[in-house]
Structures are given as C-alpha cells and as structure tokens.
C-alpha cells in the first residue's frame, strides 16, 4: 500500500495544440515524491513548470503517461490537493475568514467546527484579527498567507505552490520562507511541491530540488538537499549547493550566448 | 484646510445658484413675460399653496406607487432573463437575438400597441414603466454573469464546487456590481417613464398629470414646480442608489 501523500509521475508527456500545431511542452517527466517531502521545481521561464503543476492539480486532463497520487491516477481536481496560485486568487468579495473557509463549505461539519478550523489556520499563518478584512485591504504577503491557509484548511495530502512568494519584496520573502518552513514542519504529513525562480529559496526549503530545462520541458537533474534544518544561508555547504544549482543554468545560458554570436 | 474641503463639496451648487440668479434678474427686469417665465417668488408662493392644499402629495403618491410596481416587475423579469442568458449559452442563443431586436424599438414605439391591447388603464402604465426598467436590468445582469474570470473558476474547481454553490459564491457576487448598476439605471428609467405614462395614457392624478393639466391651463409656475420635483426625486433616487452601492460593494475598495 502506498502511503498518503505519495506522488508518482511516470513517463509524462504533455502537448498543447496551438493553431493546429502540436507543440510538446513536457516530455519524459519522471518524478517520485515521498510523503511529507518538500520538493522545489526550478527552471527557465516557459519550460512548463506551471503546466506540470496544473496537471498534478487536475486542471489539465489530457496527457500521456501516468500521474499517480497514492497509487491512484489523478482525474480532475480534488480536496486531497491544496493549491496556492501565484496570484493568490482570494475572492475579492469574501472576507479573509470566508475565503479561508471556502474549502469547508461543502462539508457537513456544523458552523462551530468549521469556525474553529478556520481560526486555527488563520493562527497558523499569523492572520488572527484579520477575519473580517477584505483581500483588497491586505498586503501582498498577507494575501499570500491567507491563500496558504485556504489551501491547508482541508488537510490536503499534497500542497502545490506556484511561485507563492514570487511577487514579494526580498525581506518579506525571506520572512515568508521561514513561515512556510514552520507550516511545513507543523503540518508534518503534508507533502509540498513548490515552483520557484529563486535558487536560494529552493535550497533553503527543499528536501530535493528538481531542475528543468526547456523546449520541450524535461527534468534535467534532481538534486537532493541533505543539509540539517534550520538551514544557515551563509554556511559553506549551503553556498556550495546554491552554486551547484546555479551552474546548471550558467551552462544553459552559455549555450544561448554562443548561439547569439 | 477642513473649511476648504467643505466648500469644495458644495461646488455642485454653484451653477444652479447662478441660474437661479439669472432667472431672478430676468424676471425682475421684465425681459420675459411672466407667462413664459414666472418669477421665482411666484413659483415659491404657488408651491406653498400646492403643499397646503395637499393634492400634490396624493399626486406624488400616485406616481411613486406606479413606478415602484413597474420598476419591481421590470427588474425582476430583467434579473431572471439576464441570469438565465448569462448562465446558459443555450438560453442566450434562443432569446438573445429576439431580445436584441425588440430592444431596438424605442419605448415610445410601444404606446399604440399598449393602448390597443390594454386600453388606457393603470396596467398599461405599469407595463410601460416595467418595460423601461426591464432592458437595462437584463443587459447589466447578463454582462455581470459573464464577468467571472477564468482564474476564479479554477478556484471553484479546485474546491470541487457544484453548480448551485458556484452560482452563489462565485458568479452572483462577481455579477453584483453590474447588477446594482442595472438596478440604478432601471430606477432612473422607470421614474422618467412614469411622467410619459401619465401623459400618454391619460391619468387622473400623478405628477405627470399635474404637469399636463397645468400646461392646458397655461400655468407655467406649476409646470416649473413639477419639473423641479421630478428632477429632484430622480436625483435623490440615483444618489441613494450610489450610496447603497458603495455600502454593499465595500470589498471593492481598499480603505
Ligand atoms: N493553455 C495553453 N495552450 C497552449 N500553450 C500553452 C498553454 N499553457 C502553456 N502553454 C505553453 O506551454 C509552455 C510552458 O508554459 P508554463 O506556463 O508551464 O511555463 P512556466 O515554466 O510556468 O513559465 P514561467 O516560469 O514563466 O511561469 C509555454 O511555452 C506556454 O506558451
Ligand atoms: Mg509559471
């Protein structure tokens, strides 16, 4: 029996049809994610990271190969997976409290229970006291935290994050990385897959970093990060790992450069 | 500082006050016959007389009741058709072309048909008003229902929302600003049309009737008063709706 929170991607291939032409976007993707693991996906713009995530979410349904969650083929979105979109996508017409509680509305839990769950999650992301506030009144970081709370409220086995901190300034972003790590440690059973452009963020948070290359998007390398937590961004091992990952992109960039001459 | 702000708030009164001054100067100097342009003080005196007689309140009541019924009927029908067309492309394809064709006929164009079918009755007037409220309400509701962004639809899918909950939590709230604007425009339309209804479909009582009767008896002061009252009530209705909208759509602004 596969454990709750296991993701298995086998020989995944995805093409898009644009004006009658089929363009391959993802090819030969093989990835295993263990329960409770934190995996980052990093790669050049347009290499298919979001597409890969959308396939796992179940928002894209035509593909070749297999995407298995706990051994079962993914078929459309489900509450077993929580999603944090890059643009937080909080509903502007609902208060923070209502937004976070969205995933509970279909459940016959009773009002009191749902309220408690929402409260607990607002506390988890440090948004107590902002229950009645509308998203337009939140800062970027607060909105992103509300979005994370909303995604966690159903206790998903898998949390999928598409550049959740991409729009934040450097300081807020570092702060949110700490928060994200805390949340991941507290919700011990949650498997997290996060797309990022930030190498340091990937090394800081992940158990492994998946490096992708483009046209068509493939997995170039999977680098395990075995540094003890909490991680020291200034440590030699940390820097070395960061360098190693950057190297992968330098090589790539060099190639583009040589074409340019 | 604050005084300046308060003064600025009153800017909207400057032009009406200037017009009032011009009016007063013209009548004072006798540049126009009092038959065409009664002096302000005559108008005020007549107004006081009308108020004391009390019939003007009965007239207003008469008109407002008709507007209220026609308006409610019109926006209800508009809401139902607008939502139905907004939610279902089948219904849009079935009713959309007909609606758009019928909409091209000016409201005034329906007067002969209405008279021939329903006669000069209260029902005719209410239908006439309802028709005016119906069009903008339908259009705004329809547009609103189509405004939900694809991104939010994906959120609904991620949370496995079914159709009724999608409608309640996503489609209607995102349509709400447009629906409220529809209600506001329909309300103005209904209020303007009641005057026409009372003139074209011969009424006993009502502010439009008061105006028309005054015209027949060449009582320009009363005509003036009715115009001012109609304008003022329309203005107040519109303003009240605006305030209501800002209240209900608090989520749109950050403050
Ligand atoms: N619905 C679609 N139809 C056609 N092509 C698409 C569609 N969605 C994505 N693509 C194409 O697939 C490729 C990968 O897109 P994707 O959004 O997954 O990239 P990404 O790695 O997330 O990029 P970024 O880092 O800029 O967000 C792009 O070339 C894009 O043009
Ligand atoms: Mg992307």
């Amino acid at each position: 029996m596969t454990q709750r929170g296991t993701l298995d991607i086998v020989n995944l291939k995805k093409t898009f049809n644009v004006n009658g032409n089929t363009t391959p976007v993802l090819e030969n993707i093989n990835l295993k994610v263990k329960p409770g693991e934190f995996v980052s996906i990093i790669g050049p713009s347009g290499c298919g990271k979001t597409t890969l995530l959308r396939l796992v979410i179940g928002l894209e349904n035509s593909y070749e190969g297999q995407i298995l969650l706990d051994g079962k083929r993914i078929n459309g979105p489900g509450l077993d997976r929580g999603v944090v979109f890059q643009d937080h996508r909080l509903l502007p017409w609902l208060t923070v409290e209502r937004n976070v509680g969205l995933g509970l509305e279909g459940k016959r839990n009773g009002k009191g229970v749902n309220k408690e769950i929402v409260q607990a999650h607002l506390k988890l992301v440090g948004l107590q006291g902002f229950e009645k506030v509308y998203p337009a009144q939140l800062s970027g970081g607060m909105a992103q935290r509300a979005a994370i709370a909303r995604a966690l409220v159903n206790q998903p086995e898998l949390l999928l994050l598409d550049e959740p901190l991409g729009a934040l300034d450097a300081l807020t972003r570092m702060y949110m990385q700490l928060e994200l790590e805390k949340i991941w440690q507290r919700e011990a059973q949650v498997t997290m897959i996060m797309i990022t452009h930030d190498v340091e963020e990937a090394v800081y948070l992940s158990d492994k970093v998946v490096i992708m290359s483009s046209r068509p998007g493939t997995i170039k390398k999977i680098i395990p990060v075995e540094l003890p937590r909490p991680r020291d961004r200034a440590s030699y091992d940390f820097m070395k790992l960061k360098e190693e990952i950057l190297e992968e992109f330098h090589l790539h960039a060099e190639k583009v450069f040589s074409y340019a001459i | 500082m604050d005084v300046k702000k308060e003064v600025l708030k009153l800017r909207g009164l400057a032009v009406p006050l200037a017009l009032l001054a011009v009016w007063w100067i013209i009548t004072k100097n006798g540049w126009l016959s009092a038959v065409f342009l009664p002096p302000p003080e005559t108008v005020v005196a007549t107004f006081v007389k009308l108020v004391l007689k009390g019939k003007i309140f009965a007239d207003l009541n008469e008109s407002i009741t008709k507007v209220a019924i026609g308006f409610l009927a019109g926006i209800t029908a508009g809401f139902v058709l607008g939502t139905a067309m907004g939610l279902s492309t089948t219904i849009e394809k079935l009713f959309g072309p007909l609606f758009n064709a019928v909409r091209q006929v000016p409201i005034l164009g329906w007067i002969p048909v209405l008279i021939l079918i329903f006669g000069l009755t209260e029902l005719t007037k209410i239908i006439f008003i309802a028709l005016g409220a119906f069009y903008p309400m339908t259009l705004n509701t329809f547009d609103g229902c189509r405004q939900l962004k694809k991104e939010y639809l994906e959120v609904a899918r991620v949370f496995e929302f079914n159709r009724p909950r999608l409608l309640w939590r996503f489609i209607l709230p995102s349509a709400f600003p447009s629906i409220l604007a529809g209600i506001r425009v329909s309300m103005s339309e209904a209020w303007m049309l009641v005057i026409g209804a009372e003139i074209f479909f011969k009424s006993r009582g009502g502010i439009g009737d008061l105006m028309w009767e005054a015209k027949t008896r060449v009582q320009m002061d009363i005509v003036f008063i009715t115009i001012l009252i109609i304008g003022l009530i329309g203005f107040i209705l519109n303003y009240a709706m605006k305030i209501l909208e800002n209240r209900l759509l608090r989520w749109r602004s950050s403050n």
Side-chain angles (χ1 to χ4, degrees):
Chain A
M1 225 215 88
T2 31
Q3 218 182 318
R4 204 178 112 96
T6 314
L7 182 71
D8 236 317
I9 301 178
V10 187
N11 291 331
L12 173 69
K13 183 180 175 184
K14 167 79 187 163
T15 54
F16 274 123
N17 255 324
V18 183
N19 311 326
N21 297 328
T22 29
T23 2
V25 176
L26 293 170
E27 224 164 64
N28 199 22
I29 303 281
N30 286 286
L31 182 64
K32 249 187 197 312
V33 181
K34 285 186 284 205
E37 226 177 359
F38 198 122
V39 174
S40 289
I41 300 175
I42 199 160
S45 183
C47 74
K49 302 182 295 294
T50 297
T51 308
L52 180 58
L53 208 70
R54 288 172 61 84
L55 282 159
V56 177
I57 298 167
L59 288 171
E60 303 277 353
N61 286 313
S62 69
Y63 59 88
E64 289 168 44
Q66 303 239 50
I67 308 176
L68 305 171
L69 181 60
D70 305 337
K72 280 197 299 275
R73 200 181 156 89
I74 284 176
N75 184 22
L79 294 175
D80 49 5
R81 280 148 289 155
V83 182
V84 179
F85 294 96
Q86 180 167 11
D87 47 340
H88 59 75
R89 297 201 192 176
L90 298 172
L91 303 185
W93 49 84
L94 294 184
T95 56
V96 166
E97 185 179 48
R98 282 265 161 84
N99 262 294
V100 172
L102 264 188
L104 297 170
E105 284 184 7
K107 293 194 173 156
R108 297 261 156 270
N109 273 341
K111 267 234 162 80
V113 179
N114 281 353
K115 217 180 161 88
E116 260 173 48
I117 300 176
V118 168
Q119 272 303 324
H121 282 85
L122 284 175
K123 198 166 164 217
L124 182 73
V125 298
L127 280 180
Q128 315 104 294
F130 289 91
E131 290 83 2
K132 307 286 182 213
V133 167
Y134 288 99
Q137 296 160 305
L138 295 178
S139 72
M142 288 160 87
Q144 217 44 278
R145 275 187 275 161
I148 292 171
R150 181 176 75 175
L152 284 171
V153 112
N154 291 295
Q155 295 189 289
E157 31 191 298
L158 196 56
L159 183 67
L160 302 155
L161 308 113
D162 191 348
E163 295 188 44
L165 314 182
L168 307 179
D169 64 273
L171 277 179
T172 314
R173 174 181 242 190
M174 270 224 243
Y175 171 72
M176 287 291 294
Q177 288 165 2
L178 298 177
E179 292 292 302
L180 207 53
E181 186 180 34
K182 263 194 237 155
I183 290 167
W184 174 68
Q185 280 166 342
R186 236 177 289 178
E187 307 270 302
Q189 316 92 326
V190 187
T191 310
M192 293 201 185
I193 300 180
M194 178 183 75
I195 295 176
T196 179
H197 269 132
D198 184 336
V199 176
E200 183 173 310
E201 182 171 296
V203 177
Y204 183 77
L205 286 169
S206 320
D207 294 319
K208 61 190 186 203
V209 180
V210 176
I211 298 174
M212 291 183 67
S213 56
S214 47
R215 253 157 264 183
T218 47
I219 293 180
K220 192 174 175 196
K221 204 165 182 181
I222 297 178
I223 297 181
V225 186
E226 276 149 2
L227 305 174
R229 294 175 193 263
R231 289 173 180 165
D232 177 3
R233 295 173 202 258
S235 76
Y236 174 76
D237 292 335
F238 193 98
M239 303 278 234
K240 213 179 96 190
L241 214 54
K242 219 175 112 180
E243 221 27 64
E244 191 184 328
I245 293 170
L246 279 172
E247 200 91 319
E248 297 292 333
F249 294 104
H250 275 275
L251 282 176
H252 206 83
E254 228 169 58
K255 224 172 175 175
V256 172
F257 186 64
S258 62
Y259 278 133
I261 310 179
Chain B
M1 275 278 263
D2 269 343
V3 177
K4 197 176 164 195
K5 239 184 181 170
E6 290 305 310
V7 171
L8 277 177
K9 263 192 206 160
L10 298 175
R11 265 179 308 192
L13 283 177
V15 177
L17 284 177
L19 281 177
L20 190 65
V22 171
W23 176 14
W24 187 74
I25 291 167
I26 291 176
T27 49
K28 196 88 209 152
N29 293 315
W31 292 340
L32 267 174
S33 150
V35 178
F36 298 123
L37 192 67
E41 56 269 29
T42 313
V43 173
V44 172
T46 314
F47 179 70
V48 171
K49 239 190 281 167
L50 280 177
V51 168
L52 288 179
K53 258 203 320 193
K55 189 184 167 289
I56 194 159
F57 295 113
D59 283 326
L60 271 174
N61 188 25
E62 173 100 28
S63 298
I64 289 172
T65 309
K66 263 182 293 211
V67 169
I69 297 171
F71 164 70
L72 285 178
I75 63 165
T76 307
F79 179 77
V80 171
L81 181 65
T83 319
M85 290 202 301
L87 296 182
S88 151
T89 36
T90 315
I91 296 179
E92 188 207 344
K93 289 207 175 98
L94 281 173
F95 291 92
L98 177 66
F99 174 79
N100 277 318
V102 171
R103 187 163 69 87
Q104 305 306 319
V105 180
I107 309 263
L108 298 182
W110 293 105
I111 291 173
V113 184
L114 286 176
I115 290 181
L116 287 177
I117 298 178
F118 299 105
L120 297 173
T121 60
E122 288 303 290
L123 181 64
T124 311
K125 289 166 209 143
I126 287 170
I127 293 176
F128 185 69
I129 294 164
L131 204 60
F134 171 69
Y135 293 135
M137 188 61 188
T138 310
L139 284 172
N140 275 281
T141 308
F142 172 74
D143 279 346
C145 287
R146 290 290 166 89
Q147 248 154 38
L148 184 65
K149 285 201 215 115
K150 184 180 118 275
E151 284 78 11
Y152 292 129
L153 206 62
E154 288 183 351
V155 173
R157 285 180 63 199
V158 165
F159 285 115
E160 298 190 302
F161 270 38
N162 55 19
R163 282 294 278 183
R165 284 175 64 225
L166 176 70
L167 183 68
W168 179 242
R169 267 288 180 246
F170 286 76
I171 298 177
L172 286 182
S174 70
F176 200 43
S178 191
I179 291 173
L180 283 177
I183 292 176
R184 179 163 42 82
V185 177
S186 296
M187 195 184 264
S188 298
E189 195 76 8
W191 179 243
M192 286 191 258
L193 285 178
V194 71
I195 313 304
E198 285 168 353
I199 292 172
F200 294 124
F201 307 118
K202 298 291 167 278
S203 179
R204 294 200 155 272
I207 196 85
D209 175 59
L210 180 66
M211 177 196 248
W212 202 246
E213 284 297 304
K215 180 225 75 175
T216 326
R217 287 193 235 107
V218 203
Q219 294 171 318
M220 198 52 137
D221 45 354
I222 295 184
V223 172
F224 260 60
I225 288 167
T226 53
I227 287 176
L228 288 175
I229 289 176
I230 291 163
L232 194 67
I233 289 180
F235 178 80
I236 291 171
L237 287 178
N238 201 51
Y239 192 72
M241 257 322 276
K242 274 274 187 203
I243 289 176
L244 187 69
E245 277 175 55
N246 287 338
R247 271 279 163 86
L248 293 174
L249 302 176
R250 232 162 12 106
W251 53 266
R252 279 204 299 196
S253 62
S254 45
N255 44 10

